[in-house]
Amino acid sequence: MGAERQGAGGVAGRAPAREKSTFAVTCSLLSQYLKEKKGGLEGLGGLGMSPPPPPPAPAGAFRPPTTMNLLSALDAPAAEEPNDAAKATPEEADGHDQQTAENPREAAAGEDEAQPLTIFYGRKVVVFDKFPPAKIKDLLQIANAGGYGVDRAGASAAPPSSQNSLSDMPIARRNSLHRFLEKRKGRITAKAPYQSSSPAGADASKQATGDKNSWLGLGQEVTVVKQEI
Amino acid sequence: MGGEVPGPRLLSRALSFGGGGGVPEEALHLVFGYVDDPRDREAASLVCRRWHRIDALSRKHVTVGFCYAVEPARLLARFPRLESLALKGKPRAAMYGLIPEDWGAYAAPWVAQLAAPLECLKAVHLRRMTITDQDIAVLVRARGHMLQVLKLDKCSDFSTDALRLIARSCRSLRTLFLEECIIDDKGSEWLHELAVNNSVLVTLNFYMTDLKVEPSDLELLAKNCKSLLSLKMSDCDLSDLIGFLQTSKALQEFAGGSFSEVGEYTKYEKKLDLQYTLLTTEDHCQIIAKCPNLLVLEVRNVIGDRGLEVVADTCKKLRRLRIERGEDDPGQEEQGGVSQLGLTAVAVGCRELEYIAAYVSDITNGALESIGTFCKNLYDFRLVLLDQQKEITDLPLDNGVRALLRNCTKLRRFAFYLRPGGLSDVGLGYIGRYSGNIQYMLLGNVGESDNGLIQFAMGCTNLRKLELRSCCFSERALAVAVLQMPSLRYIWVQGYRASPTGQDLLLMARPFWNIEFAPPSPENVYRMMADGQPCVDNQAQVLAYYSLAGRRPDCPQWLVILHPA
């Protein structure tokens, strides 16, 4: 079982070694955990099964793995449409996917009941008939902690709901700006006193720069913020 | 093509340039030396065999727009004395995380077949290609003594080891450009070696890379390279640069670091890039108000309509305006977001605009009409309608886009990315009918049905490169549309009514037309990018292009080549 999980990366051959991901480790930990817990063994007929034949996808339709659905359903079961996050459309589902797509609905309805869980990883599919919902959050935390960006991938990989509305493709972000905005999220908390959105902070930072500029002896020609003459 | 017998009317003209009297070869060479524009060169090379040969021997620079369109050997055969080569690889969509890392665009065959035989080669520019340390070693071994310009532009798969080799071996290097490359950082010695070995460097750019360097090496570089005019670097702290900035005498251009502070500005500023700053709407207003001579302005949409009004009032000479997409969740940028108000103001105020690219939150036909009315010099217009706001003031944009296209007669590049309902089939037909001399288009979420696409295609006589995304068209309609566009040589599509095999695309099969299909697949969701980020899309993709090279020999296994079979 462990052997089946390890090396099950979905990455084509050119991936560098560092991408032997924590998710692979997580999956093997998960299988170990479930072996230990008797309750979790119930209905774990899916564990170790060879992957089911992929369902014939309707042209242009794709449903993402439901990790994202489950997370949103657990966080906001009552108010929000749990489909918002990943925009799955259960009405499109056929057999196998019917089960997974309806998970958010079921999870919203009865959080205490063990639910079916499907994990897509690399080229393998694992199905758990009854996965305890209390452990879902743990699992997702572990997965997200791997820095895999699952949330983002899930949110962005919104499938086309039908052949008529391919509008569910989000507008893709430019890599450079995306990296900048991600870095900024960390930076804003780090440089709290110099937050440019607060007037006091902005004045303070401007003054500090003015001082630095004069100390540096910079003339008017060379200035500090990204600009070109 | 050269070699065809000219018609009777032209025969006498041809004879006057031909053998046995007429213009001597040397004179023709001299004249050709003054012809730089590639379009002029292309035209000249088609006059007769002689001119074709002279062009081939005297052409200094070639840009290969798509690396799979031609084989290196053919390029070498035609242009043996090339001095400067530019190669573009991955589709533009790679800049948006939509192309998996193992897609291709390998520099290896080019370097292997061209680096040594092109004895005059001194400038190399690769854009969106995959190049390894070994490839760079081959290039450097062959051309290092002569190399003056090396630009690796959004490339990946190499490390700082290669940079060390370049630094040691390319002592004539004037330009080292590495912007937005994914580089395996094994240490900062490369910069030290560059500083020690090079004294003629003019431009160094490792902007938007994650390379870590030592401030002392920067200072050494400034000291040894007296002609360093431009440095754009990766993130750093201002305090680390003090030594460098004090030492560099000739520096005119600088970018880098994580500046949130606002510097001093002069009224002579011509270019301003605020895309990677933490400035507020108010900051933008204050800065721009001091820059009446601005020619180029690049910002995020935090600039807001208010900031654009300042631009309109102040920057009367503005030629290029780019308004990028900032954070979707306003948070820090409450006043941000650009709409028809800001765009109209800019159109009215900045009549010299040649390039406008804007991510807008709202739009009207009127704003587009204003742009058409006032911005007569526009050659590149790109509009993306963001999807945050539910209600857009004025859709569809049929009339506005028609007015813009009819009035901006110099338009050559055009992008229009909307949402369902943003443009009807009639509007899409307008784009075709009034496409004029537009050579490149990106269209997203346009039209209502296949009819719109066909109407569009029938109008696009000069369109050479087309990108389509998130559209409702069928595979069959796509193929038929391609056949209607006589100048089309490259089309990229993602998000359409794809079949699992792409078989309807074969309707457009024809000689020299390569058709590549990436089937929709859940596995693609987790395909990794070089920087560790997942490739975000899983839709089917189509790439079709004219090629003299036949089938790609280096496809990843998930890519299906439909034609040639």
Side-chain angles (χ1 to χ4, degrees), chain A residues 15 47 64 68 78 101 109-110 115 125 132 148 172 179 183-184 190 203 207-208:
Chain A
L47 203 62
M68 195 55 198
Q115 302 295 334
V125 179
Y148 224 67
R179 279 201 294 269
K183 277 186 190 167
R184 185 178 82 153
D203 289 344
Q207 197 177 40

Side-chain angles (χ1 to χ4, degrees), chain A:
Chain A
M1 202 181 307
E4 191 183 346
R5 290 257 146 50
Q6 277 162 19
V11 187
R14 294 178 68 83
R18 66 173 187 269
E19 285 172 10
K20 188 170 165 40
S21 64
T22 55
F23 202 96
V25 171
T26 305
C27 281
S28 50
L29 284 175
L30 169 67
S31 65
Q32 244 180 319
Y33 166 84
L34 290 169
K35 267 199 280 199
E36 285 161 21
K37 301 287 171 187
K38 275 191 184 170
L41 277 175
E42 239 185 305
L44 280 178
L47 203 62
M49 255 171 29
S50 57
F62 170 70
R63 281 150 296 283
T66 51
T67 49
M68 195 55 198
N69 274 347
L70 287 167
L71 185 60
S72 60
L74 284 171
D75 285 343
E80 284 178 7
E81 171 70 16
N83 288 335
D84 271 357
K87 298 188 180 148
T89 51
E91 64 264 20
E92 285 285 315
D94 56 20
H96 166 76
D97 294 304
Q98 179 93 16
Q99 183 189 36
T100 56
E102 281 175 5
N103 273 339
R105 306 260 162 108
E106 292 174 17
E111 287 181 19
D112 294 327
E113 301 167 16
Q115 302 295 334
L117 169 67
T118 305
I119 296 180
F120 291 86
Y121 188 69
R123 298 176 200 283
K124 307 223 187 304
V125 179
V126 174
V127 179
F128 304 102
D129 288 337
K130 285 183 186 170
F131 197 85
K135 302 303 165 195
I136 288 292
K137 272 191 172 144
D138 295 342
L139 170 63
L140 288 169
Q141 262 173 11
I142 296 171
N144 284 332
Y148 224 67
V150 168
D151 284 350
R152 201 169 55 76
S156 313
S161 50
S162 73
Q163 292 195 5
N164 292 327
S165 59
L166 286 164
S167 56
D168 294 326
M169 285 178 79
I171 301 171
R173 276 200 182 280
R174 201 173 175 112
N175 294 341
S176 53
L177 275 155
H178 175 77
R179 279 201 294 269
F180 165 74
L181 292 171
E182 290 291 304
K183 277 186 190 167
R184 185 178 82 153
K185 281 182 192 158
R187 193 167 291 141
I188 283 183
T189 45
K191 285 192 179 178
Y194 290 93
Q195 258 178 8
S196 48
S197 61
S198 73
D203 289 344
S205 62
K206 278 174 193 168
Q207 197 177 40
T209 307
D211 291 343
K212 278 180 197 166
N213 279 350
S214 54
W215 183 81
L216 285 174
L218 290 176
Q220 294 292 328
E221 296 79 32
V222 179
T223 55
V224 162
V225 184
K226 284 161 274 305
Q227 55 178 307
E228 292 139 22
I229 296 172

Side-chain angles (χ1 to χ4, degrees), chain B residues 11-76:
Chain B
L11 202 56
S12 56
R13 197 186 298 171
L15 283 176
S16 77
F17 284 116
V23 183
E25 195 98 344
E26 298 81 12
L28 272 178
H29 269 278
L30 275 173
V31 171
F32 268 75
Y34 289 100
V35 180
D36 286 326
D37 189 307
R39 289 166 296 184
D40 292 340
R41 278 281 180 154
E42 188 187 341
S45 73
L46 297 177
V47 166
C48 62
R49 275 199 220 271
R50 194 156 167 246
W51 283 36
H52 190 266
R53 194 181 70 247
I54 294 174
D55 164 62
L57 293 174
S58 62
R59 184 103 61 119
K60 298 237 168 24
H61 170 84
V62 163
T63 297
V64 178
F66 183 48
C67 63
Y68 290 113
V70 66
E71 290 146 313
R74 185 183 280 261
L75 189 74
L76 175 63

